[in-house]
Amino acid sequence: MSRLNSILPAAAGYLLPVMVLGALLVIYEPVAVSGGSMEPALLHGDLALVRRGADGVEGDVVLVRTPGRASMLHRVAHRHPDGSVTTRGDANSIADREHAPPEQVVGVVHGRVPVGILVALWRRILESATLSAQSDSVRR
């Protein structure tokens, strides 16, 4: 019995975070941001946390999933009476041509993990390292 008592706290310590993460993944969907259409709000490489099932109102950033196309994170520019939405990327000058019907709106972005900054810094470091290595090789 004493061995079981010593194992239970350790098991609970591992099990509790796994259960919390599992519950969060049921509610939230992590989505990697690709492209620059939502800059500066979302950067390429960021991880957007989308709350599933949320409708989104004008001004919210939503995840739209259209069959046969890539998923899209764009801001709701207008909500129509039928429930469909017109979206637009923050860096785009015009709204998206097609309206997204309500069944294609997966949810609303409730947060982000700013990995894009780290990706941009890493690229700059790699570019400068490559440029300095090339300049050394040219001199030889």
Side-chain angles (χ1 to χ4, degrees):
M1 187 71 162
S2 66
R3 180 155 168 85
L4 183 61
N5 287 339
S6 65
I7 293 174
L8 282 177
Y14 288 110
L15 189 59
L16 186 62
V18 170
M19 289 173 51
V20 169
L21 182 62
L24 286 174
L25 289 175
V26 169
I27 300 168
Y28 290 95
E29 179 177 339
V31 178
V33 177
S34 63
S37 67
M38 281 305 296
E39 289 181 3
L42 297 171
L43 302 175
H44 179 76
D46 281 352
L47 192 63
L49 302 175
V50 178
R51 180 169 168 86
R52 292 184 176 112
D55 291 337
V57 296
E58 288 183 17
D60 285 342
V61 178
V62 294
L63 173 63
V64 177
R65 215 172 254 137
T66 305
R69 292 189 179 173
S71 297
M72 175 178 65
L73 288 166
H74 274 185
R75 195 171 301 279
V76 175
H78 183 71
R79 180 169 278 289
H80 303 278
D82 65 355
S84 65
V85 293
T86 299
T87 57
R88 181 177 75 85
D90 287 357
N92 299 345
S93 58
I94 59 172
D96 300 324
R97 186 184 318 193
E98 297 178 22
H99 305 311
E103 62 271 7
Q104 292 178 358
V105 177
V106 177
V108 175
V109 173
H110 274 227
R112 75 176 178 104
V113 180
V115 182
I117 293 276
L118 298 174
V119 171
L121 288 172
W122 182 250
R123 284 185 180 155
R124 285 189 198 135
I125 290 169
L126 288 178
E127 284 175 6
S128 65
T130 303
L131 290 175
S132 65
Q134 288 175 349
S135 63
D136 288 344
S137 65
V138 169
R139 285 186 230 155
R140 293 181 189 165

